[in-house]
Amino acid sequence: MAGATIWSLLEPSALLNPHPIYREWYGRSPVLWDPDIEAWLITGYDEAFTVLRDADRFCQDWRRVGVDTPPSLLSLQTLDPPEHTRIRHLMLEGFRTAGLDGVEQRTRARLDELLAEAEGAAGFDFVTRIAEPLTLYAVTGLLGVPDIDPAWFVPRSHTIVDSMDSSLRPECYEPGVAARAELSALVGAWIDAPLPEGFTAHVVRRAKEVGVERDILHNSLRVVLQAGFQTASRFLTTGLHALLRLPPEQRGPVDNDLAVNELVRYAGPVHVESRACVEDTVLGGRQIRRGQIVSMFLGAANRDPRTFDDSAAVRWDRTPNRHLAFGRGPHACLGAQVATVIARTVFGTIGHRYPGARLLAEPRPRPNVTEHGMFELHVAL
Ligand code: HEM
């Protein structure tokens, strides 16, 4: 493949802004074969939307194309309907049991404490001082489980995200397996412990009644903890970075769902989701063969000029805004509302309370192509 390759996405400048590469690929074809990794790179909105919605032709459960999945990875994220439907419905019950009010109150209270600690300083790191501890606190509250020490959890959690890019960085695979096992042990203790009524207590009690096996429940609770913490904390960082790069008069306020929706389209952290093709099919005029991988670049699809007017600009009142930042179809994000509540609380508070907030340095991006994030984001309030 001439020009930018998949490896080009690991360059620090591309990790901060991959869109020039995405545009180059899209210009060649919204569905482009990459012989280096033997996968289709999908940068077009319509094509990504089709794949996400069509679990018959494009699977998340790779056993359907003969690829083995270790039992420790079988969860709501890696099963397809109809098996997927049972665990997904059960987890939805968990989200409904927890509700959003508690998430908002807990986020607001902890945010006030963390901002009070940070605001006297001339500058501070938003990632480690606010985004990560706040999100972990909000997600454990949602799950109705004891607080977790960020110093223990956060490094293990990042190791798991690193392993999601192990096709590009194979050395990240084994540490990811070990970190996942450590998180599993934590989650196993919740399943065995008596917990007060809430998300986890509810799904543990109901699992047998609705026919969800213990291992699937266990792995799926780990997924909710990991996916919830990583995506929401990384969005606080990528979102604040994008906001503070705008001139102050163009910054929002991002204190409502419409504005959060536009920020997640423009600067959402999840850049790649992959599926395997189950039967020979045509997509965007290209012939896709059974067993081939299709990698959807959600960040690119969310700026597809065929779908979004003025797609590279932030427009706070954009409606409709049918972005793919939370996915679509059977695996669409279960935590989108939770993430929206956390984000509007944080961005709204910072926007109203500190209109002069500014970046102190360009951030150092984490080397993750799939899920973008930053080691640190130095800001002054
Ligand atoms: C801005 C923050 C977030 C973003 C951008 C995001 C993005 C996504 C995306 C793109 C998917 C689809 C994956 C696929 O199709 O393979 C997904 C699935 C999922 N998300 Fe989120 N997410 C966010 C926050 C959260 C939160 C806060 C939680 C939980 C508390 C959560 C839980 C999940 C779960 C459990 C799934 C898997 C659903 C399934 O496979 O059926 N997410 N998310």
Side-chain angles (χ1 to χ4, degrees):
M1 199 166 87
T5 69
I6 194 86
W7 311 102
S8 315
L9 290 175
L10 280 166
E11 296 291 327
S13 59
L15 289 163
L16 284 177
N17 178 15
H19 293 284
I21 294 177
Y22 293 164
R23 275 197 299 274
E24 185 196 320
W25 291 349
Y26 179 87
R28 280 192 260 160
S29 172
V31 179
L32 186 67
W33 177 247
D34 182 341
D36 285 345
I37 55 163
E38 300 198 328
W40 292 96
L41 311 181
I42 302 191
T43 48
Y45 178 94
D46 291 341
E47 295 80 4
F49 183 83
T50 300
V51 172
L52 286 169
R53 303 225 338 166
D54 190 346
D56 290 335
R57 283 191 298 160
F58 297 99
C59 64
Q60 182 73 310
D61 184 345
W62 294 36
R63 295 175 303 175
R64 288 171 60 198
V65 292
V67 178
D68 214 21
T69 307
S72 62
L73 288 186
L74 289 177
S75 74
L76 92 160
Q77 229 176 9
T78 57
L79 295 170
D80 277 336
E83 264 179 299
H84 171 256
T85 312
R86 267 198 303 278
I87 177 67
R88 184 163 168 105
H89 284 172
L90 179 62
M91 288 298 169
L92 269 170
E93 282 185 23
F95 276 90
R96 275 198 292 269
T97 304
L100 292 175
D101 289 350
V103 174
E104 180 155 11
Q105 284 157 16
R106 211 169 144 92
T107 304
R108 197 171 289 289
R110 187 81 182 112
L111 177 65
D112 282 343
E113 286 170 8
L114 292 170
L115 283 172
E117 286 165 20
E119 71 188 353
F124 68 94
D125 174 22
F126 178 78
V127 176
T128 51
R129 297 281 297 272
I130 308 268
E132 291 179 342
L134 177 68
T135 309
L136 187 57
Y137 185 75
V139 171
T140 50
L142 168 83
L143 288 172
V145 297
D147 291 342
I148 305 173
D149 179 3
W152 180 86
F153 178 81
V154 173
R156 287 163 177 80
S157 177
H158 286 310
T159 300
I160 295 175
V161 177
D162 288 343
S163 73
M164 287 159 54
D165 280 346
S166 52
S167 59
L168 302 180
R169 294 193 297 142
E171 70 281 8
C172 295
Y173 181 79
E174 284 302 332
V177 172
R180 220 177 257 115
E182 290 188 88
L183 259 58
S184 276
L186 172 78
V187 171
W190 300 341
I191 295 180
D192 295 327
L195 289 171
E197 183 50 28
F199 188 127
T200 305
H202 179 87
V203 297
V204 169
R205 194 180 60 248
R206 285 273 291 149
K208 263 208 189 110
E209 289 165 34
V210 298
V212 168
E213 291 163 35
R214 184 191 155 109
D215 284 358
I216 302 288
L217 172 72
H218 187 162
N219 297 337
S220 300
L221 276 170
R222 187 193 66 222
V223 163
V224 176
L225 170 69
Q226 167 69 4
F229 167 73
Q230 280 294 343
T231 49
S233 62
R234 287 180 184 227
F235 177 47
L236 292 181
T237 307
T238 57
L240 187 67
H241 181 233
L243 267 178
L244 296 186
R245 284 171 62 91
L246 295 173
E249 64 280 6
Q250 288 176 25
R251 281 187 195 165
V254 188
D255 59 1
N256 61 82
D257 294 2
L258 194 67
V260 169
N261 219 26
E262 173 64 349
L263 193 58
V264 79
R265 178 194 73 85
Y266 182 77
V270 180
H271 277 248
V272 188
E273 289 297 344
S274 294
R275 301 287 190 268
C277 178
V278 179
E279 59 186 43
D280 290 3
T281 191
V282 174
L283 181 74
R286 299 306 185 96
Q287 177 71 56
I288 317 282
R289 299 282 177 208
R290 173 179 161 80
Q292 287 182 333
I293 298 169
V294 292
S295 288
M296 289 155 287
F297 285 77
L298 304 182
N302 284 339
R303 295 197 188 186
D304 186 335
R306 292 177 304 182
T307 309
F308 299 97
D309 292 338
D310 209 6
S311 64
V314 177
R315 293 213 327 225
W316 296 119
D317 57 353
R318 191 182 289 279
T319 30
N321 191 349
R322 300 193 186 95
H323 63 75
L324 303 179
F326 290 120
R328 274 303 159 100
H331 287 281
C333 182
L334 280 179
Q337 284 180 303
V338 170
T340 302
V341 166
I342 295 173
R344 72 169 188 239
T345 305
V346 172
F347 296 134
T349 302
I350 292 178
H352 288 296
R353 219 179 270 176
Y354 312 103
R358 61 185 203 286
L359 293 173
L360 290 178
E362 265 304 280
R364 198 158 56 93
R366 287 192 169 274
N368 302 128
V369 168
T370 300
E371 215 168 293
H372 280 205
M374 291 161 197
F375 285 107
E376 70 246 327
L377 183 70
H378 289 287
V379 298
L381 295 176

